[in-house]
Amino acid sequence: MNSIGMHKGARGAGAVMTALILGAGSAAADIAPADVWADWQDYLRGFGFEVSATETETADALELTDLTLTQTLPDGAGTTVFTIPQITMQDNGDGTVGIAYPEDLPIRIEQSGPETVTVDMRYLTDSMVSNVSGDAARMVYDYTADGIGIRIDSVAADGETIDLGDIAFDIEAVEGRTVMELDGGRIANQVVKSGPATYRLTMSDPEGGDLDMNGRFDTLEMSAMLNMPEGVDGADMTAALAQGFSVEGTYAFGPGASAFEIKEEGTTTSGSTSSRGGKLSVAMDADGLAYGAMSEGLVAQITTPQLPVPLSMEMEEAVFDLAFPVAKAEAPQDFGLNLLLGGVNLGDTAWALLDANGVLPRDPATIALDLEGAATILADIMDPGEMMRVEMGDEAPAELNAMTLNRLLVSLAGAELTGMGDLTFDEGLENGFGGAVGTASFKLTGANTLLDRLISLGLIDQSQAMMARMTLGSAAVPGEGEDTLVSEIELTPEGGIIANGQRLR
């Protein structure tokens, strides 16, 4: 499947689903169905869609049938077509417009290109009330529903149906508001809150193997902002970002749980997870793309035929943040990565298998990494054509210029490693390290004690422990405190390695 084309198609699908969920109801100025329909067309065309529909006007309504949205992807990546049978825009008689969908609304997505992919899905609503108020310059969408759901009925690639089993997503007790403002461009702000959210995925592999996965969150909340300056083509994301296009969204979920079961070759692997909640976020503008994820109070358990008993693990906090530039430029641009796995505890069963006599300390483990740097972007990452040329050739999409390690922390089984450092990169230097030059400092505590404990457990022997100690001794020196080693490592332009003032290479 063409990953670049599907990525562009997925972004288009986001615009379409945003349009579908819109609904409103304030007061203020009058608005008519024709105003709402005109704004929908303008919004979708801003993302590169050709919009067509059969329009049937009555005294108090505008009925749209056979609504077709066609998006031609750049650089021959293909064409994506959305087909929606019916939407009705009703004049409520009080200056507002109601938007009505069939409770079971079929949607077809077709993408042609190097491969042809067809997806048939359904958009389900239960007691949905959706109204638009305001005026042509500022439309306010308010909507409520007892439930909203999505079903994926079938997927076919090059005419061959892929058996995906059951794919379903449902949210209950939905309420939301979207404000669309037109003032030399478009600014959209959206907030949606819901009660329980559930999902289910079942798949069967014709060659053997079945997957059954389901999950639930007690609450779900989404907030999003879109800024599209006038004249911006949302289908050409590289140009749009340069002209000021930006988007950001946050998805916060409350306490939840999931379960899965995999059957393969007569064996069954199953597991479950739960958490106190978390958050996902994404933001994109001219400075780059940023992703974030956070979860609290994660508990996981797995039962597999390879192990005699179920294993469990707890994690107090998990954090992942990544930000990187996407636009080609001659000057270096900043990037950053932050990773934290905090308060990790193995369950009693796992400890019993690994260390029944309690030789190793069972304090919670922590892994943390915080780094930032600068890179020269050599290809527009949001341009499918450029990325396709990168994938097919030997040219790198970026050149690393500098990297700073702000924090490294690995703490487990009574030992702890910390570190920080700065490196610069010059591809013209052939020093054996990719042109890296700079210094890094590290501190390791509890290593010798940990090696002794591993020997007593029989996990390593004396010769392996001796080799480890010799390796540490060549790169580190004793520090302050018992069982403490420190190391200052320098990489030189000539390709040398200097550890604590002693040349190793």
Side-chain angles (χ1 to χ4, degrees):
M1 188 176 294
N2 185 300
S3 60
I4 295 175
M6 287 303 290
H7 173 75
K8 295 286 287 185
R11 189 165 61 222
V16 174
M17 297 308 293
T18 298
L20 283 175
I21 201 172
L22 292 180
S26 303
D30 289 350
I31 195 166
D35 298 322
V36 178
W37 173 228
D39 189 59
W40 278 34
Q41 293 178 80
D42 181 67
Y43 173 77
L44 292 166
R45 285 169 180 157
F47 283 94
F49 286 102
E50 296 177 14
V51 184
S52 66
T54 299
E55 303 176 24
T56 303
E57 291 189 64
T58 63
D60 60 357
L62 174 62
E63 184 173 297
L64 306 172
T65 54
D66 298 325
L67 175 59
T68 303
L69 312 174
T70 304
Q71 185 182 55
T72 301
L73 306 177
D75 298 297
T79 301
T80 303
V81 179
F82 295 81
T83 305
I84 303 169
Q86 181 184 358
I87 295 175
T88 301
M89 297 183 175
Q90 180 77 39
D91 189 333
N92 292 327
D94 60 358
T96 70
V97 174
I99 301 175
Y101 317 101
E103 290 190 351
D104 190 335
L105 176 65
I107 300 172
R108 168 164 283 197
I109 306 172
E110 298 175 273
Q111 182 180 314
S112 59
E115 289 182 298
T116 299
V117 179
T118 302
V119 179
D120 284 307
M121 60 187 292
R122 288 177 293 140
Y123 180 72
L124 310 177
T125 58
D126 179 9
S127 303
M128 185 168 186
V129 177
S130 175
N131 292 297
V132 189
S133 64
D135 56 35
R138 184 179 186 273
M139 296 190 187
V140 180
Y141 294 75
D142 291 306
Y143 34 92
T144 62
D146 290 346
I148 295 176
I150 294 175
R151 301 289 184 273
I152 306 297
D153 289 331
S154 67
V155 176
D158 287 336
E160 182 178 342
T161 300
I162 302 171
D163 185 6
L164 295 179
D166 182 21
I167 301 178
F169 176 74
D170 294 281
I171 51 178
E172 301 176 27
V174 183
E175 61 177 69
R177 166 170 285 199
T178 299
V179 179
M180 289 277 193
E181 296 187 75
L182 302 178
D183 183 12
R186 179 184 298 272
I187 297 176
N189 285 284
Q190 183 178 32
V191 175
V192 181
K193 298 180 180 180
S194 84
T198 60
Y199 60 89
R200 179 177 176 84
L201 169 65
T202 63
M203 298 179 65
S204 295
D205 187 340
E207 298 180 359
D210 298 295
L211 168 66
D212 188 340
M213 178 184 296
N214 63 83
R216 171 190 174 97
F217 299 109
D218 289 350
T219 59
L220 194 63
E221 182 172 343
M222 182 195 78
S223 62
M225 184 282 297
L226 177 144
N227 179 23
M228 183 178 286
E230 189 172 10
V232 165
D233 180 4
D236 184 351
M237 194 51 60
T238 298
L241 292 171
Q243 296 173 60
F245 175 89
S246 65
V247 63
E248 61 182 62
T250 300
Y251 304 84
F253 47 92
S258 70
F260 72 89
E261 184 177 81
I262 302 173
K263 294 182 179 180
E264 188 174 17
E265 297 180 353
T267 65
T268 299
T269 298
S270 61
S272 63
T273 67
S274 64
S275 76
R276 296 197 301 269
K279 182 171 67 174
L280 301 174
S281 63
V282 61
M284 181 169 62
D285 58 20
D287 291 331
L289 187 59
Y291 293 103
M294 183 273 290
S295 180
E296 294 181 327
L298 178 65
V299 178
Q301 179 174 301
I302 185 169
T303 301
T304 173
Q306 284 75 36
L307 295 172
V309 292
L311 298 182
S312 63
M313 180 272 293
E314 297 180 5
M315 186 184 307
E316 181 60 27
E317 183 180 18
V319 176
F320 174 80
D321 292 303
L322 174 65
F324 57 93
V326 296
K328 181 167 54 179
E330 294 183 3
Q333 302 178 69
D334 295 336
F335 68 86
L337 170 66
N338 180 38
L339 173 67
L340 171 64
L341 305 177
V344 181
N345 277 301
L346 293 179
D348 291 339
T349 303
W351 277 117
L353 291 174
L354 180 67
D355 178 22
N357 296 322
V359 174
L360 296 174
R362 300 188 179 183
D363 300 332
T366 296
I367 298 174
L369 176 66
D370 179 4
L371 61 84
E372 60 187 0
T376 302
I377 305 302
L378 306 175
D380 287 312
I381 294 175
M382 302 305 295
D383 185 323
E386 287 205 28
M387 293 311 297
M388 188 176 295
R389 286 189 289 273
V390 168
E391 289 179 10
M392 297 177 64
D394 298 327
E395 196 172 314
E399 177 183 295
L400 187 60
N401 303 116
M403 187 166 61
T404 296
L405 177 62
N406 295 314
R407 183 192 186 202
L408 170 66
L409 170 63
V410 179
S411 176
L412 61 101
E416 181 178 277
L417 172 67
T418 59
M420 59 179 58
D422 282 287
L423 295 174
T424 59
F425 295 83
D426 183 349
E427 289 196 347
L429 286 177
E430 297 183 1
N431 63 352
F433 306 116
V437 176
T439 60
S441 58
F442 301 94
K443 180 180 179 181
L444 177 61
T445 60
N448 283 304
T449 302
L450 177 58
L451 289 172
D452 290 338
R453 288 168 171 162
L454 294 177
I455 292 171
S456 69
L457 286 172
L459 297 178
I460 63 173
D461 57 30
Q462 290 285 357
S463 63
Q464 292 171 320
M466 180 177 296
M467 181 64 68
R469 289 187 171 103
M470 290 175 61
T471 301
L472 289 172
S474 67
V477 295
E480 295 183 6
E482 185 179 353
D483 198 1
T484 299
L485 298 171
V486 295
S487 184
E488 185 85 14
I489 305 295
E490 179 183 358
L491 304 181
T492 70
E494 299 78 23
I497 303 176
I498 298 175
N500 308 302
Q502 301 295 317
R503 181 174 293 275
L504 301 182
R505 167 178 160 178

